[in-house]
Amino acid sequence: MPELPEVETYRRIFERNALDRVITRIEVRDARILSGITPRTLSRTFVAKRFTRARRHGKHFFAESDGGKSLHLHFGMTGDLDTTPASSPEPRFAKVIFTFGEERLAFLDARLFGFCSIAPSLESFVATNGLGIDALDPRLDAPHFARIVGERRGALKAVLMSQEVVAGLGNLYVDELLFATGVHPAAKANELSAKKLREMHGAMVEILQRVIAIHDRGADYPPEYLISNREENGRCPRCGGKLARETLFGRTTFYCRKHQRPKC
DNA sequence: AATTCCTCCTGATAGC
DNA sequence: TGCTATCAGGAGGAAT
């Protein structure tokens, strides 16, 4: 499920394959993927234009065009990008297809939890929708993180999942982060020590950047990551104990009862 | 402010 | 082999 590292990977794919090329055609295969626009609007806005810059905020992707408007994609849970020549068979689950002469970029989404839309700009969308600072924004340093997370009274899992506090983390990497820092998912954010919160910031940046690099190389997750052991009867990569698997705050949550404590 | 529940949607998987 | 039931989950909205 695309969280910040995956969307960053899509951004890079888009950058390499779809920038500075004249958009010759846009085809919508399933209009339910569109949010607030029609296929006609999409074509009128972008055909004969070029995408000039690919950006990301949290899990949201924006491609600026030389027409002024930005393409806005959200990948939901099964969103994906495919770049194959326009002459090759259309990929499975293609919902919107951008053609640049002989080249093609397809926005795929098997389950339609993602969407394709048009935004005036990344900044306007972020402001209008109350998204928090991006998890990898250089302005988000440890004290800043400790302040905005530590003032929340909710459970850490819920607070970290909330895109209004910090944008970009989802179910998998929140679990990974809590595992890495030894914090129980239900621990209250405002009850963590400032020290632990600062440590959590460091771990968050480390995990996100490392996963982006892993995706870039096409590598596997490290075996010591929780995510590599995220399965029924999975074992804690630190102590070998059986991992807990519970639904917490509406999400399947894996954690180690031994290492992850409510009070830190 | 926080939390819980519900809905959207359908491929993959498990069970029979 | 083939059918069916269940699960997964980001985000937004309603209700509490």
Side-chain angles (χ1 to χ4, degrees), chain A residues 111-146:
Chain A
R111 297 184 202 176
L112 291 172
F113 272 27
F115 63 79
C116 170
S117 186
I118 298 172
S121 68
L122 175 151
E123 285 77 10
S124 74
F125 179 83
V126 169
T128 306
N129 292 274
L131 284 188
I133 187 167
D134 182 80
L136 286 183
D137 190 320
R139 292 170 294 182
L140 179 60
D141 56 15
H144 186 180
F145 177 91

Side-chain angles (χ1 to χ4, degrees), chain A residues 45-113:
Chain A
T45 304
F46 296 117
V47 168
K49 305 288 194 301
R50 300 166 198 249
F51 293 119
T52 53
R53 183 152 76 129
R55 305 172 67 193
R56 182 189 60 69
H57 186 102
K59 306 175 195 172
H60 293 263
F61 171 83
F62 300 84
E64 294 178 1
S65 78
D66 54 10
K69 294 285 179 64
S70 289
L71 172 72
H72 176 194
L73 300 180
H74 191 280
F75 296 88
M77 161 181 168
T78 49
D80 200 356
L81 291 182
D82 171 87
T83 58
T84 40
S87 56
S88 62
E90 195 168 298
R92 208 178 168 204
F93 310 128
K95 294 292 184 282
V96 184
I97 299 168
F98 300 86
T99 306
F100 313 88
E102 302 301 310
E103 309 185 66
R104 178 180 69 198
L105 178 117
F107 175 49
L108 322 180
D109 191 359
R111 297 184 202 176
L112 291 172
F113 272 27

